[in-house]
């Protein structure tokens, strides 16, 4: 019922529908991966993007299953991809800088990341006229960036914000926490300033998602966040413009603890809780079907 009411408010009618579904997967590499904070090497980002374009990843299966149009956005992957009808080429740089030692990106790059997300959404919206959009991501090292963002905005400690990402052991967790703690002491980003947070400790794909969120809300399109990374991007968009809050739907409860603090800040409750930790937008894809069901109950 809560979803049905939210969609009625978004669409300004009592018979909401989300028949036209789209999903964007934003991908980018992270300089912070140089600090050894991931169980996987950075090359995996490019390999996964190839898999998305080949239609072979979990998110492709779920999009086919739920009739969702999927597009991949290269925001800053450290690899080159041939032209593909399902690919937006928005590469800003082959990965962000290592925010353990310098700002992740320049001010100009941060603006470009957000503008690219706006542009990708607007282009997709013009060609597909969507009712609802899911937002996923791919980027080795991006849970470190997301943890740092969520710690900054919500005030939880780096230890509370740090999760296992793609499967770190206890020693890896300790190291990752220390890296985030040192970086936040070094940069001291302003919790109220979404642009500054993105510039100092963000990722190109996180900026892209934030831009897509701002654009989707401006077009009265419902937005389904996925797990921790897209929630961190949601947090940046929310700090830039809190009026987007009503357009956001939290897809799934991530096993990453930091997501809970971020969702609490935006006043969102996850729709599903399936102990997932895959990313890619998989939780968002599953949630879109439940949103569709809620709208159908309202209409029928």
């Amino acid at each position: 019922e809560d979803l049905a009411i939210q969609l009625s408010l978004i669409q300004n009618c009592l018979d909401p529908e989300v028949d036209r579904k789209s999903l964007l997967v934003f991908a980018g590499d992270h300089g912070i991966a140089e600090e050894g904070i991931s169980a996987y090497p950075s090359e995996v980002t490019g390999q996964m993007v190839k898999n998305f374009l080949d239609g072979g990843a979990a998110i492709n299966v779920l999009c086919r299953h739920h009739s969702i149009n999927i597009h991949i956005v290269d925001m800053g992957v450290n690899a080159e991809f041939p032209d593909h009808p399902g690919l937006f080429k928005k590469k800003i740089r082959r990965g962000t800088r290592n925010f353990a030692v310098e700002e992740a990106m320049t001010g100009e790059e941060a603006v470009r990341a957000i503008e690219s997300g706006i542009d990708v959404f607007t282009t997709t919206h013009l060609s597909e006229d969507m009712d609802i959009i899911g937002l996923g991501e791919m980027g080795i090292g991006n849970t470190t960036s997301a943890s740092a963002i969520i710690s900054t905005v919500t005030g939880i400690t780096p230890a509370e914000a740090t999760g296992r990402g793609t499967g770190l052991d206890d020693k890896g967790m300790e190291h990752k926490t220390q890296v985030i703690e040192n970086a936040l002491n070094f940069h001291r980003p302003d919790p109220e300033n979404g642009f500054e947070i993105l510039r100092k400790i963000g990722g190109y794909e996180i900026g892209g998602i934030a831009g897509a969120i701002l654009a989707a809300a401006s077009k009265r399109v419902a937005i389904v966040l996925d797990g921790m990374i897209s929630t961190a991007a949601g947090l940046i968009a929310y700090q830039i413009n809190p009026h987007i809050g009503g357009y956001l739907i939290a897809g799934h409860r991530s096993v990453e603890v930091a997501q809970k603090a971020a969702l609490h800040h935006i006043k969102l409750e996850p729709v599903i809780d399936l102990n997932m930790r895959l990313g890619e937008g998989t939780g968002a894809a599953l949630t879109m079907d439940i949103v569709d069901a809620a709208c159908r109950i309202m209409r029928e």
Side-chain angles (χ1 to χ4, degrees):
E1 187 182 7
D2 293 343
L3 282 172
I5 291 168
Q6 183 179 3
L7 267 291
S8 295
L9 287 166
I10 289 172
Q11 297 184 2
N12 198 25
C13 67
L14 288 175
D15 48 359
E17 54 179 71
V18 291
D19 291 343
R20 297 166 301 187
K21 308 176 184 79
S22 296
L23 190 135
L24 297 171
V25 183
F26 288 82
D29 273 305
H30 289 253
I32 194 74
E34 293 166 10
E35 299 298 314
I37 41 72
S38 171
Y40 289 91
S42 287
E43 290 76 37
V44 173
T45 308
Q47 289 162 1
M48 281 305 300
V49 169
K50 286 190 176 74
N51 198 15
F52 296 149
L53 296 172
D54 290 340
I59 189 58
N60 300 100
V61 178
L62 291 177
C63 285
R64 288 193 290 270
H65 178 55
H66 293 298
S67 304
I68 300 167
N69 294 324
I70 180 172
H71 303 277
I72 315 303
V73 189
D74 173 10
M75 291 293 299
V77 181
N78 188 16
E80 295 302 325
F81 306 104
D83 290 346
H84 187 286
L87 175 68
F88 283 96
K89 292 184 172 183
K90 294 286 181 185
K91 197 190 303 286
I92 294 170
R93 193 170 172 272
R94 290 178 74 131
T96 53
R97 294 162 188 83
N98 181 354
F99 72 77
V101 293
E102 59 183 319
E103 292 183 352
M105 58 188 91
T106 65
E108 186 199 357
E109 286 170 353
V111 172
R112 255 182 75 196
I114 290 175
E115 285 179 345
S116 296
I118 291 170
D119 184 51
V120 167
F121 171 82
T122 307
T123 306
T124 310
H125 184 257
L126 279 172
S127 63
E128 292 172 14
D129 201 24
M130 67 193 75
D131 303 311
I132 189 166
I133 188 152
L135 296 167
E137 46 60 44
M138 178 63 217
I140 295 298
N142 64 8
T143 56
T144 303
S145 178
S147 297
I149 290 166
I150 293 169
S151 173
T152 297
V153 176
T154 65
I156 63 172
T157 65
E160 291 167 322
T162 305
R164 294 188 188 275
T166 42
L168 286 177
D169 58 16
D170 290 350
K171 198 167 185 293
M173 282 276 289
E174 216 171 284
H175 172 62
K176 186 174 171 180
T177 304
Q178 197 58 58
V179 167
I180 293 170
E181 210 166 281
N182 294 347
L184 291 182
N185 288 334
F186 174 54
H187 293 294
R188 301 204 175 279
D190 173 3
E192 301 298 318
N193 188 328
F195 272 113
E196 184 183 308
I197 296 165
L198 178 65
R199 187 184 86 231
K200 289 183 171 180
I201 55 175
Y204 296 131
E205 83 284 31
I206 291 172
I209 293 171
I213 290 168
L214 294 167
S218 77
K219 295 290 184 197
R220 300 191 81 94
V221 170
I223 303 152
V224 187
L225 302 174
D226 186 38
M228 177 176 161
I229 320 297
S230 66
T231 304
L235 212 48
I236 283 180
Y238 186 80
Q239 295 305 86
I240 291 171
N241 183 355
H243 294 102
I244 62 162
Y247 293 91
L248 297 174
I249 296 164
H252 74 101
R253 191 183 303 283
S254 170
V255 292
E256 297 277 336
V257 184
Q259 189 211 24
K260 188 177 178 182
L263 290 176
H264 180 73
H265 185 87
I266 317 175
K267 303 175 192 63
L268 294 179
E269 269 297 317
V271 175
I272 60 173
D273 182 357
L274 296 173
N275 208 20
M276 292 169 69
R277 57 170 337 125
L278 184 59
E280 302 180 7
T282 48
L286 290 169
T287 299
M288 285 157 97
D289 194 53
I290 296 175
V291 177
D292 197 349
C295 290
R296 283 172 194 276
I297 292 172
M298 194 75 164
R299 295 201 306 275
E300 298 172 23

